[in-house]
Amino acid sequence: MTGYSYGEFYDWDLYYENLYLSHFGIARYCRTNFEAFLDRQLECGFVARTMMEQRMRQHFKPFLAQIAVLGSRQFGRFEWLKDRYYQRLIKYLDYWCWFCDFDKNGLSVWDSADHSGMDNQDLRAGHIYSMTIEGVDLNSYLVREFDAMSVIAEGLGLEEDASQWKEKAAAMRGRINDIMWDEKDGFYYDRNERTGEFVRYKSASSFMALWAGVATQKQADRMIKEHLLNPEEFWLEYPLASWAKNEKGYYQQRRGVECTWMGACWIPVNYSVMHALVRYGYQEEAAELARKSFEMVLSEDATREYYNAETGVGQGLNPFWGWSALAYGMPFELEAGYDPTDPHAEIIPLLSDITGVEYRFDR
């Protein structure tokens, strides 16, 4: 399904692309690509985050259970996960929780910025193979995975397991708040596991703590009012900047063939943050983010990989068949009060219903 002209299949891309396809009633890739990745799982639980040229030091980002829930809710059943894939999901999460937590404080580390998917944010997530940074984003994704696993367990009739996954999610929320929240700055910072110190760079990755429901209302208010909506940090002309404008290393325009996350606007971040804003009662701000994302993507001749947050000009692959298409559905999701990233939500073909457009598959 995916791959673009890169000729590769990636982990979190798969989740966001299937969210977009769910708007048209397409669920098949939630299962086929999920199975293709998990069928290559190593005995230790490791699943490479790329399929064609496997990166054997980079474990699949915490999205597999969320992909399975997204598909299962559309299939109307969870039985396909019973035994084989449920057990593999447990092993994959065990790998995150044990092999990627060297100081055993309950928080996992990225291999590097490249592993995080925010390719060149080395300042906050580390260089390739460094394995030193406990990511706010990483551990927030794990919260969401534990929540998704509780839904899967319930769907399989495993009530005791479901309760345990809920407890894991609650415990992880507590650890993120206890260890990664900085009261002085009103911000969640990544942590260097070796030194125990905050990595004091403000990245949009920290807003994933809002998407995962980690923050209290008071913490969310500070994150949103002091940082997210700050035009000197993330709320630029075409929000959101992926890296705060007033931070060291910030820039917008692509250099060479890179995928830059040092300020450029990426739609999957906007999409997740839109739902986070709704969660914490910022409906008007969510609507503005949805509108600006929609208009920015629609203004180009083709959907682009990412965008200049100061000018709105598209960058990267042209055309880009992937997660940027989520911008087309953002205003409609808000209008409908619909959040397909909620593991308990009924999944509906929203854009097919609105536009009358249906996908057809060549045989």
Side-chain angles (χ1 to χ4, degrees):
M1 179 198 72
T2 184
Y4 337 111
S5 58
Y6 290 131
E8 186 54 275
F9 294 74
Y10 296 99
D11 45 11
W12 64 339
D13 300 55
L14 177 59
Y15 175 65
Y16 286 106
E17 289 158 7
N18 272 297
L19 283 169
Y20 175 69
L21 290 176
S22 74
H23 286 146
F24 297 93
I26 300 170
R28 66 171 69 182
Y29 302 110
C30 290
R31 178 166 181 172
T32 58
N33 286 2
F34 170 96
E35 290 178 342
F37 275 103
L38 267 184
D39 284 346
R40 298 186 180 196
Q41 185 177 47
L42 302 185
E43 187 60 33
C44 63
F46 176 85
V47 180
R49 79 175 188 91
T50 50
M51 187 179 293
M52 307 306 292
E53 185 177 339
Q54 296 187 47
R55 302 182 190 184
M56 299 308 293
R57 293 278 296 272
Q58 297 186 5
H59 191 38
F60 198 109
K61 283 192 279 296
F63 284 93
L64 278 170
Q66 293 169 79
I67 293 167
V69 168
L70 180 64
S72 295
R73 289 205 164 277
Q74 292 176 86
F75 303 147
R77 53 189 168 80
F78 287 85
E79 287 78 9
W80 65 283
L81 294 164
K82 190 176 182 180
D83 300 326
R84 176 182 175 86
Y85 289 114
Y86 181 66
Q87 294 304 318
R88 291 193 175 210
L89 283 170
I90 292 173
K91 290 175 66 175
Y92 129 88
L93 286 170
D94 281 347
Y95 190 95
W96 270 121
C97 295
W98 291 102
F99 288 89
C100 300
D101 178 15
F102 303 110
D103 65 0
K104 300 307 174 190
N105 69 345
L107 296 175
S108 299
V109 300
W110 288 123
D111 167 84
S112 56
D114 182 70
H115 186 196
S116 79
M118 297 188 175
D119 306 30
N120 60 345
Q121 287 192 359
D122 295 351
L123 286 172
R124 73 102 185 165
H127 295 282
I128 195 82
Y129 306 147
S130 59
M131 297 198 75
T132 58
I133 306 302
E134 295 168 349
V136 175
D137 48 353
L138 168 56
N139 290 283
S140 297
Y141 299 151
L142 283 168
V143 169
R144 293 182 55 83
E145 283 292 88
F146 297 152
D147 284 338
M149 287 294 284
S150 73
V151 171
I152 292 170
E154 287 172 354
L156 296 175
L158 305 172
E159 295 302 326
E160 185 174 343
D161 279 20
S163 178
Q164 290 175 355
W165 288 117
K166 290 175 184 176
E167 291 174 4
K168 284 179 178 288
M172 180 65 85
R173 287 184 171 95
R175 285 191 292 271
I176 295 171
N177 276 326
D178 290 344
I179 298 173
M180 310 186 95
W181 174 256
D182 182 62
E183 181 63 26
K184 177 178 177 292
D185 291 354
F187 200 79
Y188 289 100
Y189 285 114
D190 300 310
R191 176 180 178 270
N192 187 310
E193 193 177 63
R194 296 179 187 175
T195 67
E197 296 177 350
F198 284 140
V199 181
R200 290 188 176 277
Y201 291 105
K202 295 185 181 72
S203 163
S205 58
S206 288
F207 297 121
M208 297 305 106
L210 306 184
W211 187 39
V214 169
T216 64
Q217 186 65 51
K218 183 178 178 181
Q219 289 170 320
D221 289 342
R222 291 198 65 188
M223 285 281 287
I224 293 166
K225 293 177 181 178
E226 296 177 25
H227 303 290
L228 195 151
L229 299 177
N230 186 342
E232 297 304 315
E233 292 189 11
F234 297 99
W235 200 263
L236 307 191
E237 186 66 24
Y238 295 89
L240 291 170
S242 51
W243 188 261
K245 185 177 181 180
N246 57 3
E247 284 288 10
K248 172 185 175 182
Y250 166 87
Y251 65 93
Q252 281 293 333
Q253 199 57 37
R254 185 184 200 190
R255 299 171 181 176
V257 297
E258 70 177 355
C259 289
T260 180
W261 291 80
M262 298 304 293
C265 174
W266 290 77
I267 294 302
V269 173
N270 287 15
Y271 181 82
S272 300
V273 169
M274 176 189 75
H275 286 297
L277 286 167
V278 173
R279 176 191 284 267
Y280 288 99
Y282 289 83
Q283 190 75 27
E284 291 184 7
E285 292 79 2
E288 184 176 359
L289 181 59
R291 177 181 60 80
K292 287 196 169 188
S293 300
F294 179 86
E295 291 174 352
M296 179 177 63
V297 174
L298 199 64
S299 69
E300 294 277 334
D301 291 336
T303 309
R304 299 296 297 275
E305 190 172 6
Y306 55 98
Y307 298 82
N308 186 308
E310 294 180 7
T311 67
V313 173
Q315 303 188 66
L317 289 184
N318 180 20
F320 179 75
W321 301 284
W323 57 20
S324 295
L326 278 170
Y328 299 124
M330 287 171 65
F332 300 106
E333 286 190 24
L334 272 187
E335 185 178 348
Y338 174 57
D339 179 6
T341 75
D342 179 351
H344 299 281
E346 177 187 359
I347 307 301
I348 60 175
L350 182 67
L351 290 182
S352 277
D353 290 346
I354 291 170
T355 66
V357 173
E358 296 183 2
Y359 275 86
R360 297 179 63 184
F361 295 90
D362 293 331
R363 294 186 181 274

